[in-house]
Amino acid sequence: MSDTNLSAVLHKKGDLRLEERPIPEPNEGEVQLSMRKIGICGSDVKYWTTGGIGQFVVTHPMLLGHECSGVVSKVGKGVTHLKLGDRVAIEPHNICRKCEFCKSGSYNLCKDVFFLATPPDNGALARYHTHAADFVFKLPDNVSFEEGACVEPLSVGLHGCRRAGVTLGSRVLVCGAGPIGLCAMLSAKALGAAAVCMTDIDSKRLEFARKCGATHTLLVTKDDKPEDLATKVADLIGSAPQHTVECSGAQSSVNLGVLATRSGGTMVVIGHGPDNVSFPVYSVITREITLKGSFRYMNTWPTCLEMMSCGKIDVKPLITHMFSLEETLKAFETAKSGEGVKVIIDCEKKG
């Protein structure tokens, strides 16, 4: 074991430092992990550049990183399903296990949730990290650490598609072709969608989406009227989509999602844009559109890992950049620039 625990610590807006921290020891029910690959999420970049997201504000030094894979390096008391050397992916939270939401299976709604890299909770962008063992999942032999780090964003997309009711033969609209939109598209196709149309304001993102499997794409400009775009979506995929997954949070995108969704269909909002957005309520009412929120995920890690292992979902094309832990600042600058899709940091000490 390395005797150091190099860690990426955000002190305040714009102040991200590499520091040595003590190597954490696992408590009962926990495992210690030698971290391998960690993806940079848009929320990590947001905390770094603005110091907060909504009610979550960085008020004291905090480790970033919650898209994680690693190797079990110590096993705490009471842990029986994991052993030293296991390759794993991490569901990045812990919960109370006692409230009505935890007991009913909707543990993502637990009010006492601990979520990595969400103030005031530390993330895992370090050499070592300890985590609740029941939220640590073995990687199949044919799934890499890089893919393991992508289970988290894929889970966001899968949970959104489940909330939308995507199933065999569905026609789906995904608004926003960033990492989460791409993961929603991959999930929709794995669930059996016959057509998935993706919209975005960036033509390069849409070109990338087509390469990753989107069946149709539609470039959106600020001058487009949502009513016209809704017609174009229906023309592209043969009919109005029964299911819409909105992944940008932008006001114009929310409007498009509502207007494009087939009467009686379902629109799910994943994207976190402004705290308050309006939507065409008359269209929702008169066409009986079901409007749902989608928050993080629940019970997705085993499914995502199985779908990766059997080849039904391939996240490897999403991984565009790789940096060492020592290059964390460069990695964050790359993620901020938007030139990559999924930027991964390798936490393993070399040599």
Side-chain angles (χ1 to χ4, degrees):
M1 176 187 291
S2 168
D3 58 357
T4 64
N5 188 28
L6 188 64
S7 307
V9 184
L10 180 65
H11 284 253
K12 59 183 179 180
K13 173 183 174 181
D15 186 6
L16 179 59
R17 311 177 194 174
L18 287 174
E19 301 176 353
E20 290 291 352
R21 287 198 163 194
I23 297 175
E25 293 294 322
N27 295 317
E28 183 175 356
E30 294 183 338
V31 289
Q32 181 195 76
L33 302 166
S34 175
M35 302 306 295
R36 289 298 187 264
K37 302 296 191 297
I38 296 183
I40 298 178
C41 176
S43 64
D44 293 318
V45 176
K46 187 81 169 179
Y47 285 126
W48 171 50
T49 57
T50 69
I53 300 176
Q55 64 179 329
F56 300 105
V57 179
V58 179
T59 58
H60 65 276
M62 177 188 83
L63 271 73
L64 292 173
H66 61 263
E67 301 177 1
C68 314
S69 66
V71 173
V72 176
S73 48
K74 282 189 179 181
V75 178
K77 183 179 178 181
V79 177
T80 59
H81 71 288
L82 296 169
K83 64 182 186 303
L84 294 181
D86 280 346
R87 302 166 60 254
V88 296
I90 305 164
E91 188 169 351
H93 52 207
N94 201 356
I95 54 176
C96 77
R97 298 172 178 79
K98 299 176 182 178
C99 70
E100 60 179 306
F101 300 110
C102 288
K103 288 182 177 180
S104 67
S106 299
Y107 59 82
N108 58 322
L109 303 180
C110 175
K111 299 301 181 183
D112 293 324
V113 66
F114 168 103
F115 192 85
L116 296 186
T118 301
D121 301 330
N122 277 313
L125 188 47
R127 297 272 193 239
Y128 291 95
H129 168 68
T130 55
H131 203 73
D134 51 351
F135 284 115
V136 174
F137 299 86
K138 293 181 183 179
L139 291 175
D141 291 341
N142 63 339
V143 174
S144 68
F145 287 119
E146 292 85 354
E147 292 170 281
C150 290
V151 175
E152 198 277 342
L154 182 61
S155 286
V156 176
L158 176 60
H159 183 60
C161 287
R162 283 176 169 175
R163 294 275 294 158
V166 177
T167 188
L168 195 67
S170 294
R171 296 185 182 276
V172 181
L173 171 62
V174 176
C175 301
I180 298 303
L182 291 168
C183 286
M185 177 272 293
L186 292 172
S187 297
K189 293 194 68 179
L191 289 167
V196 182
C197 179
M198 299 193 71
T199 63
D200 204 280
I201 59 174
D202 189 327
S203 60
K204 290 183 179 179
R205 282 188 172 190
L206 292 177
E207 181 182 355
F208 187 85
R210 288 295 289 263
K211 292 178 180 178
C212 290
T215 59
H216 302 81
T217 58
L218 178 62
L219 181 66
V220 175
T221 72
K222 60 182 178 62
D223 297 323
D224 288 322
K225 296 180 179 179
E227 297 86 353
D228 296 336
L229 291 171
T231 299
K232 290 181 180 179
V233 169
D235 290 342
L236 279 172
I237 63 176
S239 66
Q242 303 107 313
H243 317 279
T244 295
V245 183
E246 204 294 309
C247 300
S248 75
Q251 177 68 73
S252 59
S253 187
V254 171
N255 289 344
L256 168 59
V258 170
L259 295 174
T261 303
R262 179 185 299 182
S263 295
T266 300
M267 174 176 163
V268 168
V269 181
I270 296 177
H272 294 179
D275 288 343
N276 294 290
V277 297
S278 61
F279 57 92
V281 65
Y282 182 77
S283 185
V284 171
I285 294 170
T286 60
R287 298 195 300 115
E288 294 195 344
I289 302 298
T290 300
L291 188 61
K292 295 182 178 182
S294 182
F295 185 57
R296 295 175 181 159
Y297 28 69
M298 61 179 186
N299 305 310
T300 53
W301 255 252
T303 300
C304 288
L305 290 170
E306 288 290 347
M307 296 304 279
M308 288 179 179
S309 181
C310 74
K312 293 294 185 181
I313 292 181
D314 184 8
V315 297
K316 292 188 291 295
L318 306 186
I319 303 167
T320 55
H321 294 77
M322 185 77 68
F323 295 90
S324 68
L325 183 56
E326 289 81 359
E327 298 173 312
T328 290
L329 285 173
K330 186 177 179 181
F332 269 75
E333 290 288 357
T334 301
K336 177 186 174 184
S337 72
E339 65 179 89
V341 176
K342 182 51 60 180
V343 178
I344 300 283
I345 294 176
D346 184 349
C347 295
E348 187 176 10
K349 186 174 182 179
K350 310 300 180 185

